[in-house]
Amino acid sequence: MAAIHSIDHFALAVPDLNLARTFFSTFGLEIQENTAAEGGLNVLAADGHRWARVVEGERKHLDYLSFNAYQGDIFRMHSQVIEAGATNVSAVSQGDEASFWFRDPDGNRIQVRAGPKTTLDEKPTRMSESTPADKRGACTRSQAVTVHPSRLSHVLLFTPDVLASVAFYERALGLRLSDKSRDIIAFMHAPHGCDHHLVAFAKSSARGWHHSSWDVPDVNAVGAGAAQMAAAGYTKGWGTGRHVLGSNYFHYVEDPWGSFCEYSADIDYVSADKPWLAGDFPPEDSLYLWGPSVPENFIFNTEA
């Protein structure tokens, strides 16, 4: 089966581009004006890749999600998407790069294109250094440097039917189930070497955008990012803590539209074509290992 290997970028529609510029730049991402015809803002991480577009819309919603695949897999994947039951499937465009568009069963607009692999080829080895004796282990607050996430790790979407979404993305795009908790939430990875999840789905009464997750070096950077946002007035969210499924350290910051951006460090990694035993975990034993209690609005879909 042909499979995508990574996310190229996502496009998020929001009512106020100025609020978006302030929020994402404070989060540590680079913001550029999009001079192309579609306009809006480009959002880049420290790796220099454009991971997101922010466009103006009447309400916050996912405008589209763009995946990258190998050139040789595009036509097979086009057939898979049709066979899996996608709607509004375009023909494969043979311009500068082969690509096509479709809508998934929830109505999300999806692009598949021939593009570079943006997921890591192996898990980086990162360890917080221990300070030797007779030296200070931390700088003062005034000396703290701005946290700049290195890359996008994953996105999470609301869906009315988690298991149906998993089945569709398995058949259409070759993603594989990493772990799930009943029919409440599920995490999926790409088979060419990928973080524990590239895309995740959470149950709601309607489709919706929950969060984007951004990679930082370690748990210290997660905490520093949280402090960075709190100092700018973005105090709502969840964290700092450690997840069970994915194992990453996290801190979620609520954006101006009721969704979230996550600082994430040390997420589990599935090597290319290596087996990963997907588990089904009870909700009370699977969301987080430690951290503050989950706020009530964390699973609230503002688009429902």
Side-chain angles (χ1 to χ4, degrees):
M1 174 174 281
I4 58 100
H5 53 59
S6 48
I7 292 173
D8 186 78
H9 68 283
F10 64 87
L12 190 67
V14 300
D16 190 325
L17 290 181
N18 287 325
L19 280 179
R21 182 185 289 105
T22 301
F23 178 83
F24 287 110
S25 60
T26 305
F27 194 81
L29 300 167
E30 181 184 352
I31 308 301
Q32 297 178 351
E33 297 290 334
N34 189 345
T35 57
E38 62 264 26
L41 306 173
N42 291 331
V43 181
L44 293 77
D47 64 356
H49 184 75
R50 183 196 65 170
W51 288 103
R53 287 184 53 229
V54 185
V55 298
E56 198 162 13
E58 292 184 3
R59 57 181 179 83
K60 182 265 295 179
H61 66 277
L62 176 66
D63 189 36
Y64 66 84
L65 180 57
S66 178
F67 292 104
N68 284 352
Y70 295 119
Q71 177 78 33
D73 287 337
I74 292 293
F75 285 94
R76 174 61 192 139
M77 202 166 306
H78 185 264
S79 299
Q80 290 174 187
V81 164
I82 294 173
E83 293 165 2
T87 58
N88 301 104
V89 185
S90 74
V92 176
S93 169
Q94 300 266 357
D96 294 335
E97 56 196 19
S99 66
F100 64 93
W101 292 83
F102 65 92
R103 288 194 181 270
D104 72 10
D106 289 339
N108 295 305
R109 195 159 64 113
I110 307 296
Q111 181 189 36
V112 177
R113 58 190 290 274
K117 186 175 184 290
T118 61
T119 50
L120 300 179
D121 289 324
E122 61 183 8
K123 182 173 181 175
T125 301
R126 297 170 177 166
M127 295 183 65
S128 297
E129 295 182 3
S130 177
T131 305
D134 308 314
K135 291 188 177 182
R136 298 185 189 277
C139 66
T140 62
R141 287 179 62 89
S142 62
Q143 294 174 315
V145 298
T146 301
V147 174
H148 294 288
S150 61
R151 62 184 178 92
L152 179 73
S153 173
H154 60 266
V155 299
L156 188 149
L157 308 178
F158 284 116
T159 175
D161 192 331
V162 169
L163 300 184
S165 292
V166 168
F168 174 82
Y169 278 82
E170 283 178 336
R171 297 195 308 268
L173 300 185
L175 293 181
R176 297 177 182 175
L177 179 67
S178 303
D179 290 300
K180 70 182 182 75
S181 178
R182 300 175 184 168
D183 66 342
I184 300 171
I185 193 167
F187 304 91
M188 306 191 75
H189 65 274
H192 301 290
C194 184
D195 288 342
H196 175 271
H197 47 285
L198 188 68
V199 181
F201 299 99
K203 190 171 185 176
S204 175
S205 60
R207 72 182 185 187
W209 175 259
H210 185 270
H211 78 264
S212 57
S213 179
W214 303 83
D215 192 64
V216 294
D218 53 33
V219 66
N220 292 307
V222 172
Q228 172 177 304
M229 294 299 283
Y234 299 105
T235 57
K236 295 181 180 180
W238 180 38
T240 299
R242 189 172 193 185
H243 281 305
V244 171
L245 305 184
S247 306
N248 50 312
Y249 300 98
F250 68 84
H251 191 99
Y252 296 86
V253 183
E254 185 175 339
D255 68 23
W257 309 282
S259 44
F260 298 87
C261 271
E262 178 190 20
Y263 292 108
S264 171
D266 199 27
I267 193 168
D268 290 338
Y269 186 87
V270 184
S271 299
D273 293 319
K274 290 293 180 70
W276 178 274
L277 184 61
D280 188 357
F281 299 83
E284 66 276 7
D285 196 35
S286 61
L287 186 53
Y288 64 112
L289 186 63
W290 55 262
S293 298
V294 184
E296 290 185 5
N297 70 324
F298 186 70
I299 56 172
F300 180 70
N301 183 1
T302 58
E303 300 169 51

